[in-house]
Amino acid sequence: MRRIDNLNLWGRLLLAVPAGALATLSFAPYQFWYLAPLSLIVFFTLLQNQRPKTAFWTGLAWGLGLFGSGVWWVHVSIADFGGMPIAAGLFLMALLIGYLALFPALFGALFARLGHGRPFHQLMLIGPVLWLLLDWLRGWLFTGFPWLWLGYGQIHGPFASFAPILGVEGLTLALVLSCGALVAAGYYRNWKPLMLPALIFFLAYQAKGIEWVQPDPYKPVKVALVQGNIPQAMKWRPDQQWPTLMKYLDLTRENWDADVIIWPEAAIPALEQQVGTFLSRLDEAARMNQSAVITGVLDKTEQGEFFNNILTLGVNRDGEYHYDTVSRYSKHHLLPFGEFVPFGDILRPIAPFFNLPMSSFSRGDFIQPNLEANGYALAPALCYEIAFSEQVRQNVGMGTDMLLTLSNDAWFGRSIGPHQHMEIAQMRALETGKPLLRATNTGVTAVVDHHGQIIAELPQFETGVLRATVTPTKGLTPYVSLGSWPLYLYMLWAVTLSWLLVKRRRGDFRDTNPQEGVH
């Protein structure tokens, strides 16, 4: 491994870019989970014994490889629906990828600066702490973009059993710790660090056999998830409004025997107040059939605020549908540029992309009551916000039966984006120990069990209804109960231990250099 020390900066960059791209293959739809550890091992090896400046550029190259290959699909919505010239669209994508790559670049610089000359502190104490902190920062800054957190690619790997205990960040921590220890052992030819990944694998194996929640066999629910497959270019055309409503209604009529019928995000291509009569009749039909219909619909209040909502019609705690009394879930975590435009006064005049329809939404509350449908309590998340684990966690309680997420990934065509989105939703089910229902316009529409595994799904870009019988669960996982506090405590322990070791080393050095400090 030490031969890598002879590489110049350009040689490191040429290795770092494909190493970063390799990590993309650990996520859906590829799911080669073992490639993420390989990517990290190469990255950590390239950072050894480097100055902060060199480490910064190495981290930037690794990040460009990861995000350039992993989030390129955002360009599909810009190119197909943004109304921008190709050059301008590519420039925006370059800005996004460059921004995301700054986080591994910053990791590299801090990794080299704080751990210089202390490889074991660097790889097994400071490094994992830095990685978690920068992941959290990326998931918060400018409303957050927690896409491609490395833990998501481990949902089918040996560390998956940590998710109900520590969340997706716990999988990331296990991965970074294990790879750091392997590099420490190989690069410095000291085999003691191998005890750490051995311990992590042992704990993961032991946790795999623990059932944190209990399925409730007395509450099976028959669900029908409707995938309308409405082309995005046609969805909001006025002449397509009634054909779209009839399509969803026809698919629903064939499935009135289901306990809960679910339509996708904004399945109704109109504002709620514009289709009040339609909703009242749908509500009445659902009640006559002892069923409930959940649908996404947009709303505009008297104050002129737009909301992206979910409604429950039919059998539910609110009684008959009335606009003024029905319960709604309003999306909290809005998609930048899709549902709100940062610095809108500056950007909107630049290009049509910043004036997409309905791109000025207001936020719902961070914590909202579960939706109730036919006696079942569902914790909802709309589209992009399923990627925010803390928001989903705080909306799950003892009475929650299932998770619900509605989406419309037609914006991203046949790219890898919708598959990554589905994988993120699976992680939420695994973390919370709750089965998950995911209804989308064009796919991936699926039912996920409380172990995070897909038990039924529809093919993408086909009109259809997914039928399944789902067993809700009782109880809460440690992650739902404790959140990230165990990780905070680990980070405090790691920083404290590193500080003590550095202090002791400096003390030992001064003892062997009695003239040091004399002026």
Side-chain angles (χ1 to χ4, degrees):
M1 277 191 176
R2 284 185 173 274
R3 291 181 180 178
I4 209 164
D5 289 344
N6 297 324
L7 286 174
N8 59 20
L9 176 60
W10 287 107
R12 293 176 187 279
L13 301 185
L14 289 174
L15 280 176
V17 171
L22 198 64
T24 296
L25 297 178
S26 68
F27 301 100
Y30 314 107
Q31 297 181 327
F32 300 122
W33 63 265
Y34 47 84
L35 294 181
L38 180 59
S39 173
L40 277 182
I41 288 171
V42 174
F43 182 36
F44 289 166
T45 302
L46 290 171
L47 293 178
Q48 294 309 297
N49 294 319
Q50 297 304 304
R51 295 179 178 178
K53 184 177 180 180
T54 303
F56 174 89
W57 290 111
T58 303
L60 185 70
W62 187 86
L64 291 174
L66 171 64
F67 296 110
S69 61
V71 300
W72 62 267
W73 45 268
V74 175
H75 178 67
V76 176
S77 64
I78 299 175
D80 292 351
F81 307 105
M84 271 192 165
I86 294 177
L90 291 175
F91 175 72
L92 277 180
M93 276 306 306
L95 283 180
L96 173 63
I97 292 169
Y99 161 72
L100 295 173
L102 286 176
F103 289 91
L106 185 58
F107 171 84
L110 293 173
F111 184 81
R113 175 66 183 87
L114 297 177
H116 186 67
R118 299 184 291 272
F120 297 107
H121 302 172
Q122 187 182 41
L123 288 163
M124 293 183 287
L125 292 175
I126 297 301
V129 169
L130 288 174
W131 198 282
L132 285 182
L133 285 174
L134 289 169
D135 266 1
W136 283 329
L137 182 63
R138 178 160 64 87
W140 169 81
L141 197 62
F142 305 122
T143 76
F145 192 79
W147 223 266
L148 299 190
W149 279 1
L150 291 181
Y152 286 116
Q154 302 304 301
I155 195 168
H156 298 293
F159 298 148
S161 57
F162 288 134
I165 309 172
L166 299 170
V168 65
E169 300 100 323
L171 275 69
T172 300
L173 175 61
L175 183 64
V176 174
L177 276 171
S178 298
C179 292
L182 291 171
V183 171
Y187 189 89
Y188 296 99
R189 299 178 183 178
N190 184 331
W191 308 114
K192 291 180 181 179
L194 293 181
M195 295 174 61
L196 181 58
L199 175 62
I200 292 173
F201 274 94
F202 173 77
L203 293 175
Y205 177 78
Q206 293 298 314
K208 189 175 182 180
I210 300 175
E211 285 288 350
W212 300 105
V213 296
Q214 300 78 43
D216 188 351
Y218 301 105
K219 291 185 67 175
V221 52
K222 293 186 293 183
V223 299
L225 282 63
V226 182
Q227 182 170 289
N229 194 36
I230 309 297
Q232 191 60 37
M234 298 174 59
K235 183 175 175 63
W236 293 101
R237 281 171 45 179
D239 63 324
Q240 291 299 311
Q241 182 182 109
W242 192 246
T244 296
L245 292 175
M246 288 300 99
K247 184 175 188 178
Y248 276 106
L249 192 56
D250 289 342
L251 291 169
T252 299
R253 284 196 189 103
E254 300 169 2
N255 293 277
W256 279 129
D257 60 317
D259 298 310
V260 180
I261 301 169
I262 304 173
W263 295 6
E265 178 188 22
I268 297 173
L271 298 176
E272 183 180 344
Q273 292 194 50
Q274 296 173 340
V275 288
T277 301
F278 174 84
L279 292 173
S280 294
R281 291 178 178 174
L282 179 60
D283 174 72
E284 182 181 355
R287 290 181 185 282
M288 289 178 58
N289 289 278
Q290 294 297 303
S291 184
V293 176
I294 296 174
T295 183
V297 62
L298 305 182
D299 186 30
K300 183 181 181 181
T301 67
E302 293 180 354
Q303 293 74 32
E305 294 179 306
F306 286 96
F307 288 92
N308 191 352
N309 290 341
I310 304 177
L311 297 181
T312 302
L313 305 171
V315 182
N316 70 91
R317 63 188 172 211
D318 293 327
E320 294 183 6
Y321 170 79
H322 295 286
Y323 178 81
D324 295 330
T325 60
V326 68
S327 297
R328 299 173 179 85
Y329 173 82
S330 297
K331 187 175 184 181
H332 170 79
H333 220 115
L334 304 178
L335 180 67
F337 302 108
E339 292 170 318
F340 82 101
V341 179
F343 314 109
D345 292 341
I346 299 174
L347 295 178
R348 287 185 186 278
I350 294 178
F353 173 73
F354 299 115
N355 289 290
L356 289 172
M358 309 295 181
S359 60
S360 295
F361 283 88
S362 298
R363 300 177 187 275
D365 294 335
F366 184 78
I367 299 177
Q368 300 178 49
N370 286 181
L371 292 173
E372 191 271 330
N374 217 343
Y376 298 92
L378 299 96
L382 262 169
C383 194
Y384 175 61
E385 63 186 356
I386 195 67
F388 295 87
S389 54
E390 184 63 17
Q391 180 183 338
V392 174
R393 183 190 77 82
Q394 292 198 35
N395 279 278
V396 171
M398 286 297 296
T400 302
D401 293 308
M402 294 169 285
L403 303 182
L404 169 72
T405 181
L406 311 185
S407 188
N408 177 22
D409 287 343
W411 295 97
F412 307 109
R414 298 180 181 273
S415 69
I416 62 177
H419 299 281
Q420 293 175 353
H421 201 178
M422 182 70 239
E423 185 175 59
I424 289 171
Q426 290 176 251
M427 183 61 73
R428 298 290 89 82
L430 181 58
E431 289 173 337
T432 61
K434 301 294 178 185
L436 177 140
L437 311 176
R438 186 173 193 260
T440 70
N441 177 25
T442 58
V444 180
T445 295
V447 175
V448 180
D449 67 14
H450 67 284
H451 294 298
Q453 301 302 309
I454 296 175
I455 58 175
E457 68 178 305
L458 287 177
Q460 281 185 284
F461 306 105
E462 291 185 12
T463 301
V465 178
L466 179 63
R467 296 293 304 260
T469 299
V470 181
T471 303
T473 58
K474 298 184 295 184
L476 302 176
T477 63
Y479 175 70
V480 172
S481 299
L482 300 174
S484 296
W485 277 104
L487 295 180
Y488 300 153
L489 294 175
Y490 160 78
M491 292 166 65
L492 178 62
W493 170 83
V495 171
T496 302
L497 179 60
S498 179
W499 177 75
L500 290 173
L501 291 173
V502 170
K503 186 177 180 181
R504 187 180 71 175
R505 181 181 175 184
R506 287 176 176 172
D508 293 343
F509 180 75
R510 288 192 180 102
D511 289 342
T512 58
N513 293 271
Q515 298 302 316
E516 183 178 335
V518 177
H519 300 282

